[in-house]
Amino acid sequence: MAKEKLLEVIDLQTQFYTEEGIVKAVDKISFTLFRGETLGIVGESGSGKSVTSLSIMQLIAQPPGRIVGGEILYYPKGQSEIDLLKLTDKEMQRYRGNELAMIFQEPMTSLNPVFRCGDQVTEAIILHQKISTSEAKKRTIQLFEKVQLPDPERIFNAYPHQLSGGQKQRIMIAMAMSCNPDVLIADEPTTALDVTVQKAIIDLMNDLKSEMNASIIFITHDLGVISEIADHVIVMFKGKIVEQGDIGSIFLNPQHPYTKGLLACRPPLDFRLKKLPVVSDFMDINKNDNGELFITEKINNITEITANNKVDLKTWAKRQKFLSSQKPILEIKNLETWFSAKKNFFGRTTDWVKAVDDVSFKVFPGETLGLVGESGCGKTTLGRTILRLIEAKSGEIIFEGKKINDLSKEEMRSLRKDMQIIFQDPYSSLNPRMTIGNAIMEPMQVHEILTNDEERKARVIELLETVSLEAKHFNRYPHEFSGGQRQRICIARALALNPKFIICDESVSALDVSVQAQVLNLLMELREKFQFTYIFISHDLSVVKFMSDRMIVMNQGKIEDIGDADEIYNNPKTKYTRDLIEAIPKGKKEDLEARLGGRVT
């Protein structure tokens, strides 16, 4: 049966005009989307994948951006094709949100915080379908039921801040599907979501696509996620398509070194590596005489790079035995942290949320203890309670043999140089008005590390070079760096006080998988070099398994599972842990065959 063409992009060019010259964000790309198909577009930040989607929707900000060439042909059912680039803004409004809909990456910034969620979806329906407010509300409630939101009536009247990340994303999907679009563009809709929520969102989008006979353009930096939803895949790099093909050929027989690099840098689950492969292991980027980029392949085979990189199991067993034989650097006994959930008329709490509920464990010097679980399980609260950024309700926190619960602020301040934290969002944890050199130097001044600022500056430059940045970066501001570079800056700042113990709180969750691999490798190298002890917090079990000696699985404030990281993955004791493992996108041949219902070659 012949495929029905729905959208065709031909030689699309989108450029941005900056002080440093013209940036070719999308450079003469072509592809076709067929009805009922999911097309995956994958690549790192800056590859042009999001600019491609914004170009299709005619949402490029002018200036500095501009579509300078190409065609975007839309084929409505029973009508001749329409070149979207030739439509006026007013004409495009008829198609945008109606035949062509988009789900943006961050639902919190896409939803208006001062309006109720239901009203925002109702407004979109009334705008395009010209129906009454009561009918639009009824339609919105039905959509909320369709996207499996609990208690649709309550969520209709809720504000965005009252909902979880997964619930907000479902509202965005409901809004996008409200007018039964032909094409749904989803731009990183699952980034930073729990793997279980991510799987639910992917299953939901697959169901809605089949039910409405729509097509999806699914954009992500993670090829593992693409394996769960796409039929056809485009791989983009620096504004160009470097490889495209059906899902089986891309995963089982990738041709371009960039594709191989993206596939290899996800932490494997069935064996343990000393370090993760990165894209630069597979290719070199060069420039020709005209200043154009070209790629040289370094390694042809993905298995070649992992063959000599596996952890020896006997050596690993010796490490685990040595770690557990030591005196703990940290001991947590019956720790509880509660938050007020409901108060009466007199301001007294009548109901509590037990964010950390009777938790006990030990951490040994030089060990990485992984802390994994869904959003709301209590893992971040536990990490902050250990550092006394949040005060515990009860229990004991013992660091190097000293109970720190009752230390004064002054005593705790002197202890903080030994206990550091790397936060999830590096941009919000850096002062935008302070150069990164001064941001790293500031805690050294507070704790009087070294004798003067000249010595401290030399130490900061040494730290920058330790995390693969340069001395010239000292006087630059946070906005001048990429997300991965900003995370390296935060790592350098944590190292500035020579700590013994570091909590990494979701410190790689929003990074490209390639950048994530670099940061994880850096953290592993620093652990070996400086004998750090980590608690590594993440919702991504594959990342935690790679980083950790032992692992704790948390659920609703309690410990579900604790033990050797490999043992927990291979023999999970509880259904909750099994569900977390099952939800991880693996991209293996048998998984692709199960999803596609047939043999994949």
Side-chain angles (χ1 to χ4, degrees):
M1 188 173 173
K3 290 183 178 180
E4 183 185 344
K5 228 184 250 187
L6 188 56
L7 191 75
E8 191 172 14
V9 173
I10 304 169
D11 291 331
L12 179 64
Q13 298 177 71
T14 303
Q15 299 178 353
F16 289 85
Y17 299 86
T18 70
E19 293 178 358
E20 297 176 359
I22 296 173
V23 177
K24 295 179 179 179
V26 175
D27 192 9
K28 293 186 177 179
I29 70 165
S30 300
F31 62 85
T32 304
L33 176 69
F34 295 97
R35 187 173 290 279
E37 176 188 66
T38 297
L39 173 69
I41 303 181
V42 71
E44 298 170 285
S45 297
S47 64
K49 56 190 190 299
S50 290
V51 177
T52 299
S53 67
L54 293 171
S55 299
I56 292 169
M57 297 294 289
Q58 303 286 305
L59 291 174
I60 297 294
Q62 302 182 39
R66 190 179 166 206
I67 300 172
V68 298
E71 298 174 280
I72 301 175
L73 304 179
Y74 168 54
Y75 296 84
K77 214 169 184 67
Q79 300 177 45
S80 56
E81 76 270 10
I82 298 161
D83 187 349
L84 300 179
L85 295 183
K86 292 181 179 176
L87 299 180
T88 64
D89 285 344
K90 192 169 183 180
E91 289 171 331
M92 187 63 197
Q93 283 177 18
R94 184 191 153 216
Y95 295 94
R96 190 190 299 127
N98 202 13
E99 280 91 349
L100 308 167
M102 186 164 180
I103 304 166
F104 293 95
Q105 179 172 355
E106 179 44 69
M108 193 63 199
T109 57
S110 303
L111 292 167
N112 192 322
V114 301
F115 289 103
R116 298 180 192 275
C117 294
D119 292 336
Q120 296 185 56
V121 180
T122 300
E123 181 186 26
I125 294 171
I126 292 171
L127 178 66
H128 289 289
Q129 297 192 6
K130 312 297 182 192
I131 60 177
S132 69
T133 303
S134 60
E135 287 176 316
K137 180 178 179 179
K138 185 179 177 182
R139 169 80 173 135
T140 300
I141 297 292
Q142 289 171 346
L143 283 165
F144 284 179
E145 289 171 351
K146 190 171 284 187
V147 299
Q148 298 164 29
L149 279 166
D151 196 354
E153 289 278 358
R154 178 186 66 81
I155 286 180
F156 185 97
N157 293 306
Y159 290 94
H161 72 272
Q162 296 174 304
L163 305 178
S164 69
Q167 288 173 332
K168 286 193 283 278
Q169 198 59 280
R170 287 170 188 268
I171 286 167
M172 292 303 300
I173 293 172
M175 190 184 296
M177 303 303 291
S178 63
C179 297
N180 299 325
D182 277 339
V183 179
L184 175 63
I185 300 174
D187 185 8
E188 299 271 14
T190 60
T191 298
L193 293 180
D194 299 333
V195 286
T196 48
V197 178
Q198 173 180 275
K199 187 175 190 304
I201 295 291
I202 288 171
D203 290 344
L204 171 63
M205 292 181 71
N206 277 326
D207 291 344
L208 291 173
K209 180 189 76 171
S210 300
E211 184 181 326
M212 298 181 175
N213 196 26
S215 298
I216 296 174
I217 297 177
F218 193 97
I219 297 167
T220 183
H221 62 261
D222 190 343
L223 269 163
V225 174
I226 284 288
S227 73
E228 298 284 306
I229 194 167
D231 303 302
H232 194 86
V233 184
I234 288 171
V235 183
M236 290 189 70
F237 178 74
K238 301 292 185 186
K240 292 181 179 290
I241 293 175
V242 295
E243 185 168 2
Q244 61 178 308
D246 64 79
I247 189 73
S249 62
I250 291 293
F251 270 82
L252 304 178
N253 190 26
Q255 299 300 305
H256 197 277
Y258 181 65
T259 311
K260 294 173 185 176
L262 288 179
L263 284 167
C265 62
R266 277 289 294 171
L269 288 162
D270 43 2
F271 55 89
R272 185 178 284 274
L273 293 176
K274 297 173 188 173
K275 63 177 288 189
L276 292 173
V278 295
V279 170
S280 59
D281 291 328
F282 290 84
M283 67 185 206
D284 281 325
I285 304 168
N286 307 289
K287 283 188 179 181
N288 61 22
D289 294 338
N290 299 323
E292 295 174 337
L293 297 177
F294 69 94
I295 291 169
T296 307
E297 188 170 48
K298 291 164 73 175
I299 293 176
N300 183 43
N301 195 335
I302 292 176
T303 56
E304 185 182 328
I305 203 165
T306 59
N308 300 318
N309 189 25
K310 291 183 181 179
V311 171
D312 177 69
L313 295 180
K314 288 183 179 178
T315 306
W316 181 255
K318 284 181 183 177
R319 171 181 165 80
Q320 301 314 304
K321 189 174 181 181
F322 168 73
L323 289 172
S324 60
S325 69
Q326 301 177 96
K327 186 178 179 182
I329 188 173
L330 177 74
E331 194 167 357
I332 304 301
K333 293 183 178 179
N334 307 111
L335 194 66
E336 299 198 343
T337 307
W338 295 7
F339 296 114
S340 174
K342 193 183 292 183
K343 293 185 179 182
N344 62 19
F345 179 78
F346 301 103
R348 291 175 183 163
T349 299
T350 58
D351 194 16
W352 296 89
V353 173
K354 297 180 180 180
V356 178
D357 189 6
D358 195 22
V359 167
S360 301
F361 61 88
K362 297 175 182 178
V363 186
F364 300 99
E367 178 183 40
T368 299
L369 179 70
L371 201 53
V372 70
E374 297 174 291
S375 295
C377 72
K379 57 189 186 297
T380 291
T381 302
L382 174 57
R384 296 187 181 204
T385 303
I386 290 169
L387 295 178
R388 286 193 57 194
L389 300 175
I390 298 172
E391 292 298 339
K393 182 180 183 294
S394 62
E396 296 180 48
I397 305 164
I398 302 167
F399 181 73
E400 291 194 315
K402 181 190 291 186
K403 184 180 175 183
I404 68 172
N405 302 62
D406 304 323
L407 294 183
S408 66
K409 285 186 178 180
E410 195 61 38
E411 290 171 318
M412 198 64 208
R413 183 179 173 183
S414 67
L415 186 65
R416 289 203 187 282
K417 67 178 184 293
D418 293 328
M419 306 173 75
Q420 287 290 298
I421 185 167
I422 302 168
F423 292 101
Q424 177 174 357
D425 183 357
Y427 195 67
S428 64
S429 60
L430 291 168
N431 188 332
R433 296 182 179 86
M434 185 182 285
T435 66
I436 62 111
N438 287 325
I440 297 169
M441 192 190 297
E442 185 182 40
M444 297 170 73
Q445 293 167 330
V446 169
H447 290 278
E448 298 179 346
I449 304 292
L450 303 177
T451 55
N452 56 56
D453 281 352
E454 189 176 338
E455 290 182 5
R456 292 179 189 119
K457 182 174 180 180
R459 173 65 176 149
V460 170
I461 289 170
E462 183 185 330
L463 288 168
L464 288 172
E465 290 170 348
T466 299
V467 298
S468 302
L469 294 171
E470 299 176 39
K472 66 182 181 182
H473 293 146
F474 185 97
N475 291 314
R476 294 187 186 176
Y477 290 87
H479 73 271
E480 298 180 83
F481 295 90
S482 68
Q485 287 174 319
R486 284 196 287 265
Q487 198 58 281
R488 289 171 185 272
I489 292 162
C490 291
I491 292 170
R493 186 176 60 180
L495 300 181
L497 299 177
N498 300 316
K500 298 173 182 176
F501 170 70
I502 299 174
I503 293 179
C504 303
D505 185 10
E506 297 275 15
S507 52
V508 296
S509 64
L511 299 178
D512 291 338
V513 286
S514 54
V515 179
Q516 174 182 278
Q518 295 169 22
V519 173
L520 292 175
N521 286 340
L522 172 63
L523 290 169
M524 293 284 270
E525 289 166 15
L526 293 172
R527 184 184 72 180
E528 300 309 311
K529 184 176 180 180
F530 298 106
Q531 293 301 299
F532 290 138
T533 303
Y534 291 130
I535 286 183
F536 191 90
I537 300 171
S538 178
H539 62 262
D540 189 336
L541 195 142
S542 61
V543 169
V544 171
K545 180 179 174 294
F546 168 74
M547 284 293 298
S548 305
D549 297 289
R550 288 185 302 134
M551 187 193 301
I552 289 175
V553 181
M554 284 191 73
N555 180 26
Q556 296 182 348
K558 291 182 176 289
I559 292 177
E560 284 268 342
D561 233 331
I562 182 169
D564 179 83
D566 292 330
E567 179 62 26
I568 284 179
Y569 175 75
N570 292 322
N571 299 295
K573 294 185 180 72
T574 66
K575 181 181 183 302
Y576 179 78
T577 307
R578 285 194 295 274
D579 289 344
L580 277 182
I581 293 167
E582 185 64 32
I584 301 169
K586 301 172 183 70
K588 292 185 176 181
K589 183 178 180 180
E590 52 269 30
D591 297 318
L592 294 172
E593 288 178 343
R595 181 172 77 80
L596 299 173
R599 185 174 174 79
V600 175
T601 56

